[in-house]
């Protein structure tokens, strides 16, 4: 594949809070206290829980690990059914492949790409144990309707908030809208740790305690005390206690050693202070892109409901048909704007087709992916010149498709990234 340098790249390396993070790293380098886990991690967890509005926030090494541990809390058994969105990254549903359960993929709303509550209701059975959803691109799902269904039918809702940090739904934050939630802090997200990080949020004390055990290096054991005559009786030991020779431990599951390192937590704490400004820059750019699309009736933007605020981790729009979408992608690429499509329908990936899922199962998601949707660059590290160029290139590409056929957009000398 040829290496191409884009005027407006899809994503950029670096930090949205570089000065604050550099100061934190300098402090950590000169500290003499151990770094694996400590007060900085605990402070970050408290701050994150307050930001989201949840009782607990448990940090781990990545968003994928957060999803794996959260799914552990569901206590899935053979024969259970789990409903999941097909419009997401594979990490959302990948943990389910470890369980002997039936996964039922739920079709999506064509305007938001989130779980369609009407389609959801049709999939619920007495065996439904849980729902896994995502707030696609940072656009909140219709949570009040979804949670009402969950309460009526008695299943757990797990929200994947990898895209949604900084979004709002009826004045509340994703991460505190369902029973359980996970966040990814990978360096492409709305808040990033210059690498990897993840969190799980919930209000239940027993779940928080289990998560503390699951992420630790210690085995999760059930201890019993040997009584005279060889009989045994259960005994609960503190997490930090070691069994005496009179105790026997039965390992229920091994530890995972996935506690977030202190340095990552310190960077996360620094980034929380800049989160609102970073999301504000995403929304400002999205507003400019929306203004361009409003001039062309054959393409429409994804938009949040009036009672929600979009975080714009992804800027998504929809063309009327496949040929139009593909021509727009090529026109933007010729002008130096990098385009990516997120995400291929999960039920059509080989690992899920192997379990019996077929095309036609989620027709709206399939039509959106194959024929209509595309994602434009939208992140706070784009320079002002790159943002201006993106807006002009989008306008020129759409005008070209509309029959105007203007010449190529001039590249300002101040725009970086052109080879």
């Amino acid at each position: 594949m040829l290496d191409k340098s884009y005027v407006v790249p899809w994503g950029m390396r670096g930090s949205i809070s570089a000065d604050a993070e550099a100061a934190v790293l300098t402090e950590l380098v000169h500290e003499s206290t151990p770094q694996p886990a400590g007060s900085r991690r605990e402070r970050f967890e408290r701050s994150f829980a307050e930001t989201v509005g949840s009782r607990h926030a448990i940090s781990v090494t990545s968003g994928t690990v957060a999803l794996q541990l959260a799914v552990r809390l569901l206590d899935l058994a053979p024969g259970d059914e789990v409903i999941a969105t097909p419009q997401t990254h594979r990490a959302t549903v990948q943990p389910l492949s470890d369980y002997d359960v039936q996964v039922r993929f739920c079709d999506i709303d064509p305007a938001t790409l989130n779980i369609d509550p009407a389609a959801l209701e049709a999939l619920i059975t007495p065996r439904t144990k849980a729902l896994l959803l995502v707030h696609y691109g940072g656009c909140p799902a219709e949570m009040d309707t979804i949670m009402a269904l969950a309460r009526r039918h008695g299943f757990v809702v797990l929200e994947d908030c990898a895209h949604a940090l900084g979004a709002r739904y009826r004045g509340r934050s994703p991460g505190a809208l369902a029973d359980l939630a996970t966040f990814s802090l990978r360096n492409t997200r709305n808040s990033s740790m210059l690498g990897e990080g993840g969190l799980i949020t919930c209000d239940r004390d027993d779940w928080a305690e289990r998560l503390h055990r699951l992420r630790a290096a210690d085995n999760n054991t059930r201890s019993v005390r040997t009584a005279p005559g060889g009989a045994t009786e259960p005994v609960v030991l503190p997490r930090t206690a070691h069994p005496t020779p009179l105790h026997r431990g039965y390992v229920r599951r091994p530890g995972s050693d996935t506690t977030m390192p202190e340095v990552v937590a310190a960077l996360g704490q620094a980034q929380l202070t800049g989160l609102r400004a970073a999301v504000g820059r995403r929304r400002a750019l999205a507003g400019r892109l929306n203004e361009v699309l409003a001039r062309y009736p054959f393409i429409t933007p994804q938009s949040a409901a009036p009672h929600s605020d979009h975080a714009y981790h992804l800027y998504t729009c929809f063309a009327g048909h496949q040929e139009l979408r593909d021509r727009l992608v090529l026109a933007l690429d010729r002008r130096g704007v990098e385009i990516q499509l997120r995400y291929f329908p999960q039920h059509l990936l080989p690992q899920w087709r192997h379990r019996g899922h077929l095309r036609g199962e989620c027709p709206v998601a399939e039509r959106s992916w194959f024929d209509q949707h595309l994602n434009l660059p939208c992140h706070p590290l784009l320079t002002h010149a790159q943002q201006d160029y993106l807006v002009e290139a989008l306008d020129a590409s759409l005008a070209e498709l509309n029959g105007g056929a203007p010449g190529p957009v001039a590249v300002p000398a101040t725009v970086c990234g052109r080879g």
Side-chain angles (χ1 to χ4, degrees), residues 7-354:
V7 182
V8 184
W10 170 257
M12 300 182 69
R13 297 178 180 178
S15 169
I16 60 174
S17 307
D19 292 341
E21 291 176 27
V24 167
L25 290 173
T26 300
E27 290 178 14
L28 287 166
V29 166
H30 292 94
E31 281 186 2
S32 58
T33 53
Q35 296 301 319
S39 61
R40 290 180 183 269
R41 175 182 54 79
E42 293 172 355
R43 179 188 172 197
F44 175 50
E45 290 176 339
R46 287 194 301 270
S47 297
F48 196 91
E50 291 172 2
T51 298
V52 170
S54 65
R55 182 176 173 83
H56 301 285
I58 295 89
S59 59
V60 291
T61 48
S62 72
T64 299
V65 167
L67 284 159
Q68 291 169 343
L69 298 188
V71 169
R72 288 270 195 98
L73 298 182
L74 302 178
D75 294 323
L76 298 174
D80 286 342
E81 295 181 0
V82 180
I83 301 173
T85 176
Q87 185 62 54
T88 186
H89 188 271
R90 64 182 180 275
T92 303
V93 294
Q94 189 168 299
L96 297 175
S97 62
D98 292 332
Y99 297 86
D100 183 16
V101 297
Q102 181 178 354
V103 178
R104 301 173 67 106
F105 286 98
C106 179
D107 215 348
I108 57 174
D109 181 280
T112 66
L113 304 188
N114 288 323
I115 285 280
D116 181 351
L120 169 62
E121 188 166 16
L123 292 178
I124 297 170
T125 77
R127 303 177 77 97
T128 302
K129 188 70 176 286
L131 165 67
L132 274 60
L133 60 80
V134 68
H135 304 288
Y136 178 83
C139 180
E142 196 50 61
M143 294 303 296
D144 281 358
T145 305
I146 289 170
M147 293 308 297
L149 288 170
R151 296 295 175 257
R152 187 187 316 155
H153 295 278
F155 58 85
V156 174
V157 178
L158 167 56
E159 49 177 335
D160 179 350
C161 301
H163 299 175
L165 192 58
R168 303 285 287 179
Y169 174 81
R170 299 188 186 276
R172 296 173 290 152
S173 295
L177 302 174
D179 301 294
L180 191 61
T182 63
F183 289 83
S184 170
L185 304 180
R186 178 173 280 190
N187 60 358
T188 56
R189 306 305 187 203
N190 285 18
S191 183
S192 68
M193 305 297 103
L194 300 179
E196 288 279 8
L199 291 107
I200 307 162
T201 58
C202 64
D203 287 339
R204 284 178 50 171
D205 295 343
D206 60 329
W207 277 354
E209 175 62 20
R210 284 182 64 185
L211 289 167
H212 282 294
R213 289 180 180 273
L214 286 169
R215 74 172 179 183
D218 298 330
N219 291 331
N220 185 356
T221 63
R222 177 181 181 272
S223 295
V224 296
R225 181 185 291 111
T226 303
T232 60
E233 59 182 3
V235 60
V236 178
L237 296 176
R239 280 187 307 180
T240 56
H242 295 282
T244 71
L246 296 176
H247 298 117
R248 290 188 301 177
Y250 298 91
V251 177
R252 291 183 289 191
R253 62 176 63 90
S256 60
D257 197 12
T258 55
T259 300
M260 178 179 284
E262 191 82 339
V263 62
V264 177
L267 292 173
Q269 184 68 37
Q271 284 214 355
L272 280 180
T273 60
L275 174 63
R276 180 174 296 181
V279 174
R281 291 196 290 273
R282 289 177 181 271
R283 287 177 177 146
L285 176 54
R288 297 182 65 188
L289 298 173
N290 285 344
E291 290 176 1
V292 174
L293 297 192
R295 298 196 286 270
Y296 300 93
F298 52 83
I299 188 162
T300 56
Q302 179 202 37
S303 59
H307 52 258
S308 295
D309 295 322
H310 202 311
Y312 286 106
H313 167 68
L314 299 175
Y315 181 91
T316 305
C317 52
F318 306 95
H321 52 81
Q322 181 185 1
E323 181 186 358
L324 184 63
R325 192 269 303 273
D326 294 350
R327 287 173 59 198
L328 178 56
V329 169
L330 293 174
L332 288 166
D333 189 78
R334 286 197 304 272
R335 291 173 167 85
V337 176
E338 185 178 9
I339 300 298
Q340 294 188 10
L341 302 181
R342 306 265 175 163
Y343 298 92
F344 189 84
Q346 292 302 298
H347 64 291
L348 299 182
L349 290 175
Q351 60 267 36
W352 294 108
R353 292 182 68 104
H354 178 70

